[in-house]
Amino acid sequence: MLNKVALITGSSTGLGKRTALELARLGIDVVINYRTNQEKALQLARELERDYPVRAMAVQADVSVPEDCRALVGQVIEEFGSLDILINNAGPYIAERKRMADYELDEWSAMINGNLTSVFYLSKLVIPFMREKGWGRILNFGFDRADTAPAWVFRSAFAAAKVGLVSLTRTMALEEAEHGITVNMVCPGDITHEWKEASIEDVRTLTDPTTPVGRAGTGEDIARTIAFFCEEASDFITGTVIAVTGGKDVLTKYKFDLESSKEVW
């Protein structure tokens, strides 16, 4: 029997890479999507095929561009003949803290297109293949409490895109349920760069007093959650938004000096 096929956007590094490793471990073929980091994407694909009984492929595409999305999905279908799991991990983020009124038009467009419209592009392309098979999994990424439409100071564009994605996630879940397709959202907590590709074992002996569970979050925490949603027996779970935060309040971890737009403790 052929393996299921997963497309993970933005997966040459970080949470996407860790998710690719987890799915490959479960025997799922993986398509690594990258925008610029070809070397790391190709290296990861080679490692997956070396270490697990799966096929892997790296494909370049900017998922905020419709033409790139069509080419990406076309390559997956041509190579694998199927596309069963779509994980929308890619999404731009502006690190600089900016008030909404200070965003440039191109910055705003990049946030909305990269985090919301890209999910529309890819989901529209893959859903027909999933419907044909009567099975599919779509996983989207949000942020802590995105399903409550909270204010997020200095993150207006990113937050607006992800809150919109909550509604899109739940709408697609209802529309595609009859076709055996589930659509869910995972909301990572404050997982810092050095831990995005780490395992849970890597942080077991390290304490994090800012997180209620007492340790830092890792890429494995997120990957395990995504893998659960991809299981055959998870077909009763759809339209769900799940926080993987260790209990930490990500949005209000800082107090803000609104005059200087700087973080203060």
Side-chain angles (χ1 to χ4, degrees), residues 59 71 193 237 249:
V59 183
H193 181 73
I237 307 170
D249 185 343

Side-chain angles (χ1 to χ4, degrees), residues 14-250:
L15 297 180
K17 176 181 178 178
R18 186 71 210 195
T19 299
L21 290 166
E22 183 69 17
L23 295 189
R25 187 182 67 81
L26 298 176
I28 297 171
D29 292 338
V30 177
V31 178
I32 307 300
N33 160 247
Y34 67 96
R35 189 168 65 90
T36 59
N37 206 333
Q38 181 184 48
E39 182 179 350
K40 288 193 174 182
L42 291 172
Q43 180 182 344
L44 176 57
R46 288 192 294 268
E47 289 175 1
L48 294 179
E49 291 193 329
R50 180 195 67 201
D51 297 338
Y52 304 100
V54 300
R55 294 177 296 165
M57 179 174 70
V59 183
Q60 192 280 332
D62 181 342
V63 296
S64 68
V65 178
E67 293 77 14
D68 279 22
C69 290
R70 283 194 291 270
L72 170 60
V73 173
Q75 284 184 257
V76 175
I77 297 301
E78 181 179 357
E79 179 69 21
F80 294 93
S82 179
L83 209 173
D84 308 289
I85 300 166
L86 171 62
I87 300 173
N88 291 298
N89 168 70
Y93 181 82
I94 295 176
E96 180 185 357
R97 299 183 181 279
K98 304 180 71 166
R99 296 172 186 267
M100 186 277 294
D102 295 329
Y103 271 88
E104 300 296 336
L105 293 181
D106 60 340
E107 291 177 322
W108 183 271
S109 295
M111 290 295 100
I112 301 300
N113 290 338
N115 288 289
L116 175 59
T117 311
S118 61
V119 176
F120 162 72
Y121 292 153
L122 284 171
S123 298
K124 180 176 173 62
L125 289 165
V126 306
I127 282 173
F129 297 103
M130 293 178 176
R131 285 178 177 175
E132 186 176 345
K133 294 185 70 173
W135 197 97
R137 300 286 185 266
I138 298 176
L139 276 299
N140 299 323
F141 276 68
F143 65 88
D144 182 27
R145 301 199 311 278
D147 53 330
T148 68
W152 194 357
V153 180
F154 308 132
R155 295 282 181 257
S156 58
F158 182 83
K162 292 299 189 181
V163 168
L165 186 55
V166 172
S167 182
L168 181 60
T169 297
R170 288 174 167 165
T171 299
M172 288 197 297
L174 294 179
E175 291 178 348
E176 301 305 325
E178 64 181 298
H179 300 291
I181 301 168
T182 67
V183 189
N184 293 288
M185 176 179 277
V186 176
C187 295
D190 189 26
I191 301 176
T192 52
H193 181 73
E194 65 268 30
W195 301 123
K196 286 185 177 182
E197 296 179 11
S199 69
I200 294 171
E201 194 62 32
D202 291 332
V203 299
R204 281 296 186 199
T205 60
L206 304 177
T207 59
D208 179 5
T210 71
T211 301
V213 300
R215 69 165 174 86
T218 69
E220 185 183 1
D221 291 296
I222 306 305
R224 283 166 50 88
T225 305
I226 291 171
F228 169 73
F229 280 120
C230 293
E231 291 178 2
E232 290 280 352
S234 295
D235 60 328
F236 201 67
I237 307 170
T238 194
T240 294
V241 179
I242 184 168
V244 186
T245 64
K248 187 172 187 174
D249 185 343
V250 176

